[in-house]
Amino acid sequence: MSLNSLLSTGLSSLNAQMLAIEVTGENITNVNTPGYSRQTAMLVNAPTTLFRSFPMGNGVKVSAVQRSYDSFLQGQMMVANSSSGQAKTVNSALQMVQPLYNELTTEGLGQTMQQFFSTWQDLAANPQGVPERQSILSVGQQLVEDFHRINTSLVSVKDNMNQSLEQVTSDINDALKQIAQLNVSIKQIETGQGVANELRDQRELVVRQLSEMVGVTFKDETDGSVSVNLLSGQSLVSGKDAASLSLSTNVATGYYDVMLTPPGGGPAANATAFIGGPGNTKGEIGGMLQIRDTTINKYIADLDELAYSLANQMNAQHSAGYGLTGTQMDFFSPAAGTAPPVPAATAAGYSALIQVNLTSANQVAAADTNPALGGTGNNLNALSIAALYNKSLNMSTGNATPEAFYNSMVGKVGVDVQGAERGENQTGAIVSQLNNQRESVAGVSLDEELVNLTKYQKAYEGAARVINVGTEMMDTVLGLIK
């Protein structure tokens, strides 16, 4: 080995150790950067040459700056994010619904319904009493307002979910554009033999964030780009092109339909049925659509059935009796002519429409006999109405009293809320576990980086020492020439 070779070997080490120190410094400075993946300078022997029939090394070089990345783990995190995003959205919405059915207070619908039939029992004790009759009208009005309040609040939750689609579709569009733009940048850099590790980190972070909003799959392409599809297969990102979501108001429902324009353009397709994954179980957008189109509709349908069936039974019994002036009329309006079980379409919207039909206390029908025939002191109809509270009706869930049916409604909401809370906790724990796993694979350990920094620093000092020795040897040779 010549002195020049010795100096060259030392120089190669200086360059390699310097690059390794720079990579270590990059890791340390990005220790708190979201999505950053630890990088490693891969050191390899430089090609050997023969010197006096012996293979001699020519130092060291950095073959690559390798980024820690696990594609399988990335896929698992996306699946977990999609489930977690949906669960959080559903739980958040149901937390707004639960107080509507809170029977721990004295102001719930169940309490008012019980109080309403109790006032009929009071009237039976004094059929001509004005205070008792006024109390029936007052509590009847409170009952109607309770139906309206719950209906309005449930519709408000639907409206909130519908409105939230505007923000989430905008965020999804932004994420899709970012991924397509990063595809272009990465391809340009890597085509020129460059390293785009930081851009790949940014792209994977955006893909993970996207998966929390909507269920997606991804595929690494050979040109460095990544393709993103919906779970049902529709393309969202292909190379430099990104799909876009838009909202169109459905004339029939008054709510938004989610429209999907494919990458590169083309006619928009209605994606409402599949954008949230199977059964709207994936992503925030799936949670919004599930609450808006399924869960709340179920609660409203139950409320409508209870209001309609109650009005049907009340009106039938009340109109069979007589008021103080001989009136015979329905207690509630509009008319509810179909006896339980009530078809859902017939009862639809009734909890929002129900009103007290009476305008005077004299119209309260306590007697089953016309006043002209001595019915003013008769309490038989009031007793029959009071007994309706315990009468079993043929409801959609089977025979049940109004109280039992309402309690089953409260129970359904309670079960749904518990399920949503459990779902958010479980999916959140899985996401946390996978994030920890990613940190162990690709995260930056300051302890490890500081050890590497010391290691490369000492190697750099050693290489400098080799060059110094070579320089001294060169000076010695030059001294002989003098």
Side-chain angles (χ1 to χ4, degrees):
M1 173 180 284
S2 66
L3 286 176
N4 283 335
S5 297
L6 179 62
L7 293 173
S8 178
T9 299
L11 179 60
S12 72
S13 180
L14 281 180
N15 291 333
Q17 307 309 327
M18 176 60 75
L19 182 54
I21 289 173
E22 289 178 359
V23 171
T24 304
E26 179 78 359
N27 288 339
I28 293 174
T29 56
N30 284 286
V31 64
N32 294 320
T33 302
Y36 180 80
S37 299
R38 176 167 48 87
Q39 300 181 25
T40 305
M42 306 303 294
L43 302 179
V44 297
N45 292 333
T48 59
T49 56
L50 288 177
F51 181 75
R52 295 177 182 174
S53 303
F54 294 102
M56 299 296 294
N58 288 301
V60 63
K61 68 176 184 177
V62 176
S63 63
V65 177
Q66 198 170 73
R67 163 174 160 268
S68 298
Y69 173 65
D70 187 331
S71 177
F72 179 70
L73 181 58
Q74 170 82 352
Q76 286 185 310
M77 293 179 72
M78 289 171 59
V79 172
N81 283 343
S82 294
S83 299
S84 177
Q86 193 266 359
K88 283 192 289 188
T89 302
V90 169
N91 188 30
S92 175
L94 290 182
Q95 294 301 325
M96 293 188 283
V97 172
Q98 189 178 30
L100 303 177
Y101 295 87
N102 188 357
E103 291 303 312
L104 295 178
T105 70
T106 58
E107 299 176 351
L109 174 61
Q111 293 286 343
T112 306
M113 195 161 53
Q114 185 181 35
Q115 188 181 355
F116 175 70
F117 286 101
S118 178
T119 58
W120 284 95
Q121 196 71 47
D122 296 340
L123 179 64
N126 183 20
Q128 299 184 54
V130 174
E132 287 80 0
R133 289 171 176 271
Q134 289 290 358
S135 179
I136 286 175
L137 293 181
S138 176
V139 179
Q141 184 60 38
Q142 181 60 49
L143 182 62
V144 164
E145 290 175 359
D146 280 355
F147 276 116
H148 293 175
R149 174 179 55 82
I150 297 177
N151 180 284
T152 301
S153 299
L154 290 174
V155 172
S156 176
V157 174
K158 278 172 62 92
D159 292 343
N160 286 340
M161 291 296 104
N162 189 62
Q163 198 70 25
S164 298
L165 289 174
E166 295 179 3
Q167 184 62 52
V168 76
T169 52
S170 174
D171 291 345
I172 290 172
N173 286 338
D174 287 344
L176 296 178
K177 287 178 184 175
Q178 285 185 58
I179 295 169
Q181 290 168 356
L182 286 167
N183 275 348
V184 173
S185 299
I186 290 169
K187 185 177 179 181
Q188 287 176 342
I189 292 173
E190 295 187 347
T191 300
Q193 304 302 311
V195 178
N197 286 344
E198 284 79 5
L199 292 182
R200 284 179 173 267
D201 285 343
Q202 291 178 26
R203 186 177 64 186
E204 284 155 14
L205 177 62
V206 175
V207 171
R208 289 198 296 274
Q209 292 170 339
L210 173 68
S211 67
E212 188 170 351
M213 296 183 281
V214 59
V216 293
T217 61
F218 78 103
K219 179 184 178 185
D220 289 315
E221 305 292 351
T222 55
D223 62 357
S225 68
V226 67
S227 297
V228 180
N229 295 334
L230 287 174
L231 296 177
S232 48
Q234 290 79 7
S235 177
L236 293 180
V237 177
S238 177
K240 62 180 179 57
D241 296 319
S244 65
L245 299 180
S246 59
L247 300 174
S248 174
T249 301
N250 187 304
V251 177
T253 64
Y255 290 114
Y256 287 135
D257 282 337
V258 182
M259 309 300 291
L260 173 64
T261 301
N270 191 334
T272 311
F274 55 81
I275 190 73
N280 286 323
T281 55
K282 298 296 179 184
E284 295 173 1
I285 196 169
M288 292 171 187
L289 292 172
Q290 184 185 82
I291 291 291
R292 189 196 73 175
D293 296 341
T294 305
T295 306
I296 299 298
N297 286 347
K298 181 179 61 177
Y299 298 156
I300 292 178
D302 286 345
L303 190 68
D304 287 340
E305 182 181 0
L306 176 62
Y308 190 98
S309 299
L310 187 64
N312 172 271
Q313 295 297 300
M314 268 298 300
N315 288 346
Q317 190 62 52
H318 190 267
S319 61
Y322 296 88
L324 290 176
T325 57
T327 54
Q328 285 188 295
M329 55 193 302
D330 287 344
F331 190 89
F332 292 114
S333 65
T338 304
V342 186
T346 302
Y350 196 84
S351 60
L353 300 174
I354 185 172
Q355 298 288 348
V356 174
N357 193 41
L358 309 187
T359 57
S360 165
N362 289 338
Q363 295 169 333
V364 174
D368 69 343
T369 305
N370 193 315
L373 301 177
T376 52
N378 187 332
N379 69 351
L380 295 180
N381 202 52
L383 289 173
S384 297
I385 291 177
L388 292 178
Y389 187 63
N390 296 315
K391 182 181 178 181
S392 186
L393 305 178
N394 189 6
M395 308 295 282
S396 60
T397 54
N399 291 334
T401 64
E403 180 188 28
F405 186 77
Y406 177 72
N407 288 339
S408 73
M409 291 168 54
V410 176
K412 285 179 186 176
V413 174
V415 169
D416 287 349
V417 170
Q418 287 180 356
E421 290 174 343
R422 185 168 55 251
E424 180 176 355
N425 291 336
Q426 288 177 343
T427 56
I430 293 172
V431 168
S432 178
Q433 183 178 356
L434 290 173
N435 281 332
N436 290 337
Q437 191 173 344
R438 182 189 178 278
E439 280 300 304
S440 68
V441 172
V444 175
S445 166
L446 281 179
D447 292 342
E448 185 178 343
E449 297 304 325
L450 290 175
V451 169
N452 287 338
L453 193 63
T454 303
K455 181 176 66 177
Y456 296 134
Q457 181 186 9
K458 292 300 180 184
Y460 187 89
E461 291 175 1
R465 181 63 180 162
V466 170
I467 291 176
N468 189 43
V469 169
T471 302
E472 290 176 358
M473 292 173 67
M474 183 70 76
D475 290 342
T476 301
V477 172
L478 291 175
L480 291 175
I481 295 174
K482 292 178 181 177

